[in-house]
Amino acid sequence: MLRWLFLIVGLALLGWVLSQADLNALADAVSTIGWDVLLVLAVYALVFTADTGVWLLAIQSFRPDARHLSRAWKIRIVGELFNVITPLAGFGGEPVKAALLKRHHGIALREGAASVILYRTVTTLALVAFLGGGFILAMNAPAFPDTQKLIAGIGLAALSLGIALFYLVQRYRITSLTGTWLSTKRLGRMIGGILHHIHDLDERLVRFYTQDPRRLAGAFALSCLAWLLGAFEIYVTLHLLGHPVSYWEAWIIEGAAQLVRAGTFLIPASLGAQDGALFLIGAAMTGQPTTGLALAVIRRFRELVWLLGGALVGWSYMRAK
């Protein structure tokens, strides 16, 4: 029910965005890109591959080579499909990834679960670094309104605090410590089996942080690269739309969109919220409101193509059962 409510909110936001636009001018702007949209898809393929490399390094049983990268790539594209279509705030695909690792590659569910948690943690840490850089650039950008700078600063601070706490919970086994305390209580004795799994998961997370520094550093570097390539996607798209910006301005636009997406994760695919952010920030940076909305439309088209890819790969997995 809550998911449907947030979907309605997203649709209302999208309706507001479209009501502010000249739809004829929007259609003209989007049509100018033509088959060059394939270049946008190619850039995002690089983003997705770098991001998949982060997850690959978090899977202890996978070697960091092309064969295992291909396996992780196919599983992850299916997981991203479930992240969008399931009512679980963008986390519905994570159990699917762990299940596919077990079914097709013999990876234990515990290791698979640990890998998706590690992936989420590392990518969010890298996102904070990326957003921090974007915020510094925005503070020196005269086209970026002061009100939006303040909102961005508050959002970045809240996100940074949340991911710091999430990392500390994993690194210092706070979940296990809480479980140990609960085990002395009647409730703890009743859920002893669950506590055992929590202890095992915590051990896997801590081992990765403390005993695999090369994998951790490589995962963080790849995640930073993926975010930077995301800004490059904005840079390429705006050039194809005929409104070129500098890479640093593209970084600001991508940072704002990702900050809004992180804050509206309960809305399916951040529908309306992400589009509104690209509409407003794109208009501020290019001086053309239609350009910002055209950018949002092309990004949605790219997401749709990727979802269709996830559906096709998922169908191939079903046939291989």
Side-chain angles (χ1 to χ4, degrees):
M1 291 291 291
L2 191 61
R3 184 69 162 177
W4 282 107
L5 175 61
F6 280 112
L7 177 60
I8 293 170
V9 171
L11 289 172
L13 286 171
L14 182 61
W16 174 82
V17 171
L18 292 175
S19 72
Q20 303 300 307
D22 182 340
L23 298 183
N24 290 326
L26 173 62
D28 290 339
V30 172
S31 65
T32 61
I33 199 168
W35 287 103
D36 288 338
V37 73
L38 295 176
L39 180 57
V40 178
L41 295 175
V43 172
Y44 184 70
L46 294 176
V47 177
F48 193 84
T49 301
D51 213 26
T52 302
V54 179
W55 185 41
L56 172 66
L57 290 172
I59 305 171
Q60 300 288 301
S61 297
F62 271 12
R63 293 188 301 276
D65 56 27
R67 182 165 64 98
H68 287 92
L69 177 63
S70 174
R71 292 175 176 178
W73 201 97
K74 289 190 291 185
I75 291 175
R76 185 165 170 263
I77 198 172
V78 176
E80 293 307 304
L81 170 66
F82 279 87
N83 277 337
V84 173
I85 66 175
T86 54
L88 294 170
F91 291 92
E94 308 313 305
V96 174
K97 295 175 189 176
L100 289 175
L101 280 175
K102 178 176 174 59
R103 174 176 294 181
H104 295 279
H105 304 294
I107 305 296
L109 282 176
R110 293 179 184 178
E111 182 179 347
S115 73
V116 296
I117 293 173
L118 288 167
Y119 163 77
R120 286 281 185 170
T121 305
V122 172
T123 54
T124 311
L125 285 170
L127 175 60
V128 169
F130 175 76
L131 293 178
F135 182 70
I136 293 171
L137 292 171
M139 292 299 291
N140 297 308
F144 203 66
D146 291 338
T147 302
Q148 293 180 11
K149 291 177 182 178
L150 176 61
I151 295 172
I154 294 171
L156 177 58
L159 179 63
S160 301
L161 177 61
I163 187 56
L165 292 174
F166 186 53
Y167 169 75
L168 291 174
V169 165
Q170 297 174 45
R171 175 63 182 80
Y172 294 102
R173 300 183 177 91
I174 293 175
T175 306
S176 288
L177 292 174
T178 304
T180 301
W181 175 78
L182 279 175
S183 66
T184 64
K185 311 297 181 182
R186 182 179 178 182
L187 175 62
R189 290 190 291 271
M190 293 171 61
I191 59 174
I194 297 175
L195 295 178
H196 171 71
H197 292 302
I198 291 174
H199 282 292
D200 180 79
L201 181 60
D202 268 359
E203 288 300 322
R204 292 176 184 273
L205 298 176
V206 172
R207 277 201 303 271
F208 182 82
Y209 291 130
T210 59
Q211 298 178 16
D212 286 318
R214 292 178 61 183
R215 281 197 174 226
L216 177 60
F220 183 77
L222 272 176
S223 192
C224 288
L225 175 62
W227 292 120
L228 293 172
L229 286 172
F232 184 64
E233 181 193 349
I234 296 285
Y235 173 83
V236 169
T237 304
L238 287 174
H239 272 69
L240 294 176
L241 286 170
H243 292 277
V245 297
S246 70
Y247 177 77
W248 312 113
E249 291 171 326
W251 187 335
I252 293 172
I253 296 171
E254 175 69 357
Q258 292 299 333
L259 184 60
V260 168
R261 194 175 181 101
T264 58
F265 66 94
L266 288 173
I267 299 176
S270 290
L271 185 66
Q274 174 184 278
D275 310 281
L278 290 172
F279 171 63
L280 294 173
I281 304 302
M285 301 303 293
T286 66
Q288 298 290 331
T290 302
T291 302
L293 192 53
L295 176 62
V297 169
I298 292 169
R299 172 153 290 192
R300 288 300 181 189
F301 173 77
R302 182 262 287 165
E303 291 174 353
L304 179 60
V305 170
W306 232 249
L307 291 178
L308 291 174
L312 290 173
V313 176
W315 180 69
S316 71
Y317 274 124
M318 289 176 64
R319 291 191 63 187
K321 286 196 303 183

